[in-house]
Amino acid sequence: MFSFGAITVVLLLYLSELGFSDKMIGVALTAILAGDLGITLGLTTHADQFGRRKTLAVGAFLKVVAGLAFALSKQYYITVIAGILGVITPTGNDIGPFIAIEQAALSDIMPGVLRGDIAKVFGWYQFCGATAQAAG
């Protein structure tokens, strides 16, 4: 979870180190954020039809491919496309499709006894995630 907090700084430094201008970096971050919105909308609205587990697996695969593209390419357009397809959010928060799909899956797998306490379960889920993010 630490990666979500550090991604904005690391991404800015990485793109700058590649030699991209401030304007190019701004356009890249804007395109990545807009692309994330589209990918998130597409994945979350079709996760139940496609299957939540498969959707999360596709998302994980896209993140791996994006990571490889960032590591192996120094081309501006390839890094921007990798950032979009890999849902590399430049905001420093977990705003992608994965948290929504995880929360939907969590509510489905909860035993009937806990369903009355769903607010407590989600509270602990968010608390553990935020604590891990803060602790790195």
Side-chain angles (χ1 to χ4, degrees), residues 51-120:
R52 291 179 186 154
R53 185 179 297 233
K54 288 179 187 176
T55 303
L56 291 172
V58 167
F61 176 74
L62 290 173
K63 284 214 178 276
V64 169
V65 171
L68 289 172
F70 270 94
L72 300 175
S73 176
K74 308 233 183 297
Q75 299 296 318
Y76 178 73
Y77 293 107
I78 291 175
T79 57
V80 172
I81 291 169
I84 292 169
L85 294 179
V87 194
I88 308 296
T89 179
T91 65
N93 293 315
D94 185 8
I95 62 166
F98 311 111
I99 192 152
I101 296 169
E102 290 168 1
Q103 289 175 345
L106 181 64
S107 67
D108 281 349
I109 64 168
M110 286 176 36
V113 175
L114 292 177
R115 289 199 188 234
D117 294 328
I118 197 164
K120 288 180 186 176

Side-chain angles (χ1 to χ4, degrees), residues 33-68:
L33 189 57
D36 287 354
L37 177 64
I39 298 261
T40 297
L41 182 64
L43 288 177
T44 55
T45 57
H46 294 90
D48 285 337
Q49 294 168 347
F50 185 62
R52 291 179 186 154
R53 185 179 297 233
K54 288 179 187 176
T55 303
L56 291 172
V58 167
F61 176 74
L62 290 173
K63 284 214 178 276
V64 169
V65 171
L68 289 172

Side-chain angles (χ1 to χ4, degrees), residues 118-132:
I118 197 164
K120 288 180 186 176
V121 173
F122 279 120
W124 278 106
Y125 173 81
Q126 290 300 116
F127 172 76
C128 291
T131 302

